[in-house]
């Protein structure tokens, strides 16, 4: 290292080994080396997580680069810029001088800028008679040229890491979608197996993934979800092999055990032939009394399914939003309403246990009607799961009638909605 190549800071600022190392590195620039100043700046912006520099420090560096008159940092030129604090503040969009000094210290500590202080600490340049700069005091940008290859390598690493975690998150999203739809298909088809427990495992895995998780946490969660998806697919493959798919159309009608009566489709036709309003009001299951002083109905055994009490058209008139979540994007039968109920239950973040309790106590058809009503009013309900549990407890005590909720929603819809 040549004599006089080391510069120490003016005033009370101490000299450090890091500053010395930056100056030594800057002396190793190859003759004729050059790099576009804005290209290296963009690489720095990409690599900032690994260099431990902030956005505001990069703003100060941007201002320093703007004072360098040429487009390229070249080894054969003077790489020292000497703006005043006032000029720096203007090009840093009015940043306070004290703030500029603090971020400048960060750039020096990171080895991106070298202070070349004059004897009195002022920034200026001495020029020859022909106007060329002979010597300048201020901030040297030489470290950017000396470390260009390192900075570009760090930027490439950050970019590759970001692409890797983006790919992981895309795979995670696809796996989540696969599991959710496969489980809902199994539940709606009432295939053998504890699908609610599998759905619970699925949500437990997702709950363990923190917000802003890194690549390692996302990869671990993805491995667990991949294993769960493979397990689900194997179970479904076994089920497909054991069923006679040629009779799928007729067998599915009989296979869905989530209803409480095998004749509910006939009942639906019979009820829809009558007047929906009268059928609903005259049913003992839907006592319209909701006032606190009204006599509460006594608990009674469920002898009718929802399809024997309400026509499906009345449910869809009151809750049109649920139609889009049927198996084929619509709801035409009670089976499809039950399947749509399972889907919106997950969308409302209702726990599998709350959904299962509602089906067990109210009956699957009644539970799907309640879920359709909750989904219709989801914008005014803070906790859909807590609301459903409350209604389930009331239904268990014989204190809840679906009719009041359903008829209130139906009255808000016009005749056009009923036949839409």
């Amino acid at each position: 290292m040549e004599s006089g190549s080391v510069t120490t800071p003016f005033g009370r600022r101490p000299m450090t080994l890091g500053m010395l190392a930056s100056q030594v590195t800057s002396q190793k620039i190859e003759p004729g080396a050059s790099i576009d100043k804005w290209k290296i700046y963009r690489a720095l912006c990409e690599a900032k997580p690994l260099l431990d520099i902030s956005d505001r420090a990069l703003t100060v560096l941007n201002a320093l680069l703007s004072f360098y008159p040429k487009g390229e940092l070249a080894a054969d030129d003077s790489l020292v810029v000497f703006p005043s604090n006032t000029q720096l503040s203007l090009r840093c969009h009015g940043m306070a001088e004290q703030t500029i000094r603090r971020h400048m210290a960060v750039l020096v500590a990171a080895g991106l800028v070298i202070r070349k202080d004059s004897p009195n600490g002022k920034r200026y340049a001495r020029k020859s008679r022909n106007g060329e700069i002979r010597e300048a005091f201020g901030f040297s940008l030489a470290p950017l040229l000396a470390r260009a290859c390192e900075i570009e390598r760090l930027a490439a690493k950050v970019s590759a890491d970001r692409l890797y975690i983006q790919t992981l998150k895309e795979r995670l999203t696809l796996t989540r979608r696969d599991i959710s739809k496969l489980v809902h298909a199994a539940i709606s088809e009432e295939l053998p197996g504890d699908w609610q427990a599998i759905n619970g495992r699925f949500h437990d895995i997702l709950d363990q993934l923190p917000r802003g998780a890194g690549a390692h946490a996302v990869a671990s969660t993805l491995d667990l979800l991949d294993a769960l998806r493979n397990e689900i697919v194997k179970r479904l493959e076994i089920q497909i092999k054991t069923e006679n798919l040629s009779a799928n159309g007729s067998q599915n009608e009989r296979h869905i055990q989530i209803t409480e009566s095998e004749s509910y489709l006939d009942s639906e036709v019979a009820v829809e032939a009558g007047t929906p309003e009268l059928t609903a009001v005259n049913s003992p299951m839907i006592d319209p009394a909701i006032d606190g002083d009204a006599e509460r109905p006594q608990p009674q055994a469920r002898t009718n399914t929802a399809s024997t009490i309400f026509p499906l058209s009345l449910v869809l008139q009151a809750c049109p939003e649920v139609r889009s979540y049927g198996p084929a994007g619509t709801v035409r039968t009670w089976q499809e309403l039950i399947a749509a109920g399972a889907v919106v239950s997950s969308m409302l973040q209702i726990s599998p246990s709350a959904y299962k309790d509602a089906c067990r106590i109210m009956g699957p058809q009644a539970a799907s009607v309640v879920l359709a009503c909750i989904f219709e009013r989801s914008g005014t309900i803070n906790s859909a799961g807590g609301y459903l549990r409350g209604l389930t407890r009331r239904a268990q005590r014989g204190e809840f009638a679906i009719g009041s909720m359903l008829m209130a929603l139906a009255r808000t819809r016009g005749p056009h909605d009923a036949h839409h």
Side-chain angles (χ1 to χ4, degrees):
M1 187 164 44
E2 298 178 4
S3 176
S5 61
V6 174
T7 177
T8 56
F10 172 80
R12 297 181 180 180
R13 289 193 296 268
M15 181 67 178
T16 66
L17 291 178
M19 293 180 186
L20 180 60
S22 296
Q23 294 180 34
V24 171
T25 302
S26 299
Q27 300 300 318
K28 298 178 181 179
I29 300 175
E30 295 291 334
S34 66
I35 190 168
D36 184 281
K37 65 180 181 180
W38 297 122
K39 179 182 177 182
I40 194 64
Y41 178 74
R42 287 192 294 271
L44 272 172
C45 292
E46 189 80 36
K48 69 177 181 177
L50 300 180
L51 293 170
D52 196 24
I53 51 177
S54 65
D55 293 338
R56 304 202 75 186
L58 286 172
T59 300
V60 175
L61 181 60
N62 181 289
L64 287 178
L65 287 169
S66 70
F67 285 105
Y68 187 76
K70 298 181 180 180
E72 289 193 343
L73 302 175
D76 299 332
D77 296 328
S78 173
L79 296 174
V80 177
V81 292
F82 39 90
S84 66
N85 288 337
T86 301
Q87 291 173 320
L88 264 178
S89 178
L90 288 174
R91 295 203 187 180
C92 289
H93 313 292
M95 187 183 295
E97 291 183 12
Q98 183 178 1
T99 305
I100 289 175
R101 285 194 292 270
R102 186 169 68 251
H103 292 301
M104 193 70 73
V106 172
L107 293 173
V108 172
L112 300 176
V113 171
I114 294 175
R115 290 182 182 275
K116 188 177 180 183
D117 289 345
S118 66
N120 61 2
K122 302 295 183 181
R123 300 172 204 149
Y124 59 87
R126 289 197 182 96
K127 297 183 180 181
S128 63
R129 290 184 180 181
N130 58 9
E132 293 181 355
I133 296 176
R134 290 188 305 167
E135 189 174 17
F137 298 97
F139 300 103
S140 173
L141 303 173
L144 297 180
L145 181 55
R147 299 178 61 187
C149 292
E150 175 196 353
I151 292 169
E152 290 178 341
R153 185 172 63 252
L154 292 175
K157 183 179 185 306
V158 171
S159 179
D161 289 346
R162 184 173 60 249
L163 180 60
Y164 173 63
I165 194 168
Q166 180 182 348
T167 303
L168 284 178
K169 288 182 176 179
E170 288 174 353
R171 288 179 54 199
L172 182 68
T173 299
L174 292 174
T175 307
R176 287 177 59 180
R177 186 179 71 191
D178 292 346
I179 293 174
S180 179
K181 295 205 171 185
L182 289 172
V183 170
H184 288 150
I187 291 175
S188 64
E189 297 288 341
E190 272 299 295
L191 300 180
D194 195 350
W195 295 105
Q196 294 293 354
I198 292 177
N199 198 35
R201 284 168 54 196
F202 170 52
H203 288 288
D204 287 342
I205 293 172
L206 293 179
D207 290 342
Q208 293 174 9
L209 184 65
R211 290 181 178 271
H216 178 72
V218 175
S220 299
T221 301
L222 182 58
D223 288 342
L224 294 175
L225 291 179
D226 275 337
L228 182 60
R229 179 176 59 181
N230 291 338
E231 178 186 339
I232 293 170
V233 170
K234 287 180 181 179
R235 291 191 180 202
L236 294 177
E237 287 177 347
I238 293 173
Q239 185 64 30
I240 291 172
K241 290 177 181 178
T242 57
E243 287 187 353
N244 184 0
L245 298 181
S246 62
N248 188 59
S250 61
Q251 286 182 359
N252 283 347
E253 295 285 338
R254 297 191 298 271
H255 184 68
I256 296 179
Q257 301 299 325
I258 200 166
T259 61
E260 292 199 12
S261 171
E262 294 292 340
S263 60
Y264 70 87
L265 290 177
D266 295 335
S267 300
E268 178 187 332
V269 175
V271 175
E272 287 188 348
T275 303
E277 290 80 2
L278 293 177
T279 305
V281 171
N282 290 331
S283 169
M285 283 185 66
I286 53 172
D287 185 356
I290 57 173
D291 187 83
D293 297 330
E295 181 180 355
R296 293 180 175 177
Q298 296 299 316
Q300 56 184 339
R302 286 185 280 103
T303 57
N304 294 311
T305 61
S307 62
T308 65
I309 305 303
F310 313 108
L312 182 60
S313 59
L314 175 63
V315 177
L316 296 178
Q317 174 192 343
C319 310
E321 293 296 328
V322 79
R323 290 172 176 164
S324 302
Y325 299 92
T330 186
V331 172
R332 296 181 297 267
T333 65
W334 280 98
Q335 301 102 306
E336 292 178 344
L337 179 64
I338 293 168
V343 173
V344 300
S345 171
S346 178
M347 292 177 60
L348 293 169
Q349 297 183 336
I350 294 173
S351 67
S353 60
Y355 174 72
K356 188 174 181 179
D357 288 345
C359 290
R360 178 175 55 84
I361 292 171
M362 298 182 189
Q365 289 184 0
S368 67
V369 174
V370 171
L371 282 167
C373 292
I374 293 175
F375 187 60
E376 193 71 26
R377 297 178 52 206
S378 58
T380 61
I381 297 174
N382 292 330
S383 172
Y387 191 65
L388 179 63
R389 285 191 182 278
L391 295 181
T392 301
R393 286 193 294 268
R394 290 177 57 193
Q396 191 172 26
R397 298 193 300 265
E399 299 173 356
F400 169 62
I402 303 174
S404 300
M405 175 188 291
L406 190 61
M407 296 303 292
L409 284 172
R411 283 194 293 270
T412 65
R413 307 291 172 184
H416 172 73
D417 295 318
H419 303 284
H420 182 61

